[in-house]
Amino acid sequence: DYQARRPVAHARDSRAVCRARGLATLHTGAALMNTVVDLTRFRTRGRVGQPTLVLVDLHDGTRSSPDAVASPGPSEPLANCRAILAHARRCGFPVAFTRQIPASTSVWNPPVYPRWIEGFEPRRCDMIFERKRPSCYASADFSEMADYVGGSYVIAGQVGELSCLSTVIDAFHRDHRVTVISDALISHAGDCVP
């Protein structure tokens, strides 16, 4: 394996990457390539009984009440979302983030990507799904992920009475088994979903 603080390649010879480390290479014509990421590890992720945590719309601009967005302290459901995310990361569970992106009005106006709430920024290993409608299943990639994990995942997040509810209804129609963390659902007004 690669040892830290050693050069990956020599500046003048890109093929030296493989020779410097002594790894097996794939030779196709004149170009050489070595293995960087083992994608099979990602393909089996979530299949071995690990729950997948789906966090819905944990970004700025999803709540209508200006007081809810500007409140200095985290609300109880948001604090519960933080605790769930921390637990999932400690246990190595797969984490998926979803966000609803409004459709752009023209080619000249690209979509606006809202900032994630502080502490809920996705990591490189996390999944991110973008959609144009309330249900997470509006994203074809999310639907494929849900099918791949056997339709069994845990959901929490913002706009519980719209996005989370729509997702759970779509999951029911697909015979998926979703676990809803009810005290980690944030309503449109910024409080707990009743």
Side-chain angles (χ1 to χ4, degrees), residues 2-194:
Y2 180 74
Q3 295 175 354
R5 303 200 187 274
R6 285 189 47 211
V8 176
H10 301 286
R12 293 193 179 115
D13 186 8
S14 63
R15 292 174 294 184
V17 173
C18 300
R19 287 195 304 265
R21 294 187 4 209
L23 296 175
T25 61
L26 300 174
H27 185 56
T28 56
L32 293 175
M33 172 189 250
N34 78 349
T35 305
V36 176
V37 175
D38 181 11
L39 294 177
T40 58
R41 289 187 353 201
F42 292 99
R43 189 71 178 152
T44 59
R45 206 169 171 199
R47 274 289 201 184
V48 291
Q50 289 184 337
T52 298
L53 174 62
V54 177
L55 295 172
V56 180
D57 293 339
L58 289 176
H59 55 79
D60 292 333
T62 55
R63 292 182 265 176
S64 62
S65 169
D67 297 333
V69 175
S71 63
S75 64
E76 184 180 343
L78 191 60
N80 291 338
C81 286
R82 286 185 202 282
I84 292 167
L85 178 60
H87 177 73
R89 292 204 193 283
R90 267 193 315 272
C91 294
F93 296 154
V95 178
F97 291 87
T98 68
R99 63 181 170 187
Q100 187 170 355
I101 304 295
S104 59
T105 55
S106 74
V107 176
W108 305 111
N109 296 332
V112 177
Y113 296 96
R115 291 184 46 209
W116 299 101
I117 295 174
E118 187 177 339
F120 291 102
E121 298 88 359
R123 294 184 180 170
R124 291 183 64 151
C125 60
D126 295 335
M127 299 171 274
I128 301 173
F129 301 104
E130 296 170 349
R131 63 195 199 285
K132 297 203 183 325
R133 291 183 301 243
S135 173
C136 294
Y137 285 94
S139 166
D141 293 331
F142 178 87
S143 182
E144 181 181 339
M145 181 277 303
D147 286 338
Y148 187 76
V149 297
S152 182
Y153 56 89
V154 178
I155 190 169
Q158 289 199 82
V159 198
E161 70 274 22
L162 180 64
S163 298
C164 295
L165 180 61
S166 299
T167 302
V168 170
I169 290 171
D170 278 349
F172 174 77
H173 291 295
R174 290 172 168 81
D175 289 327
H176 290 173
R177 298 165 313 280
V178 179
T179 302
V180 178
I181 309 296
S182 61
D183 60 348
L185 291 179
I186 305 163
S187 75
H188 210 50
D191 54 357
C192 249
V193 174

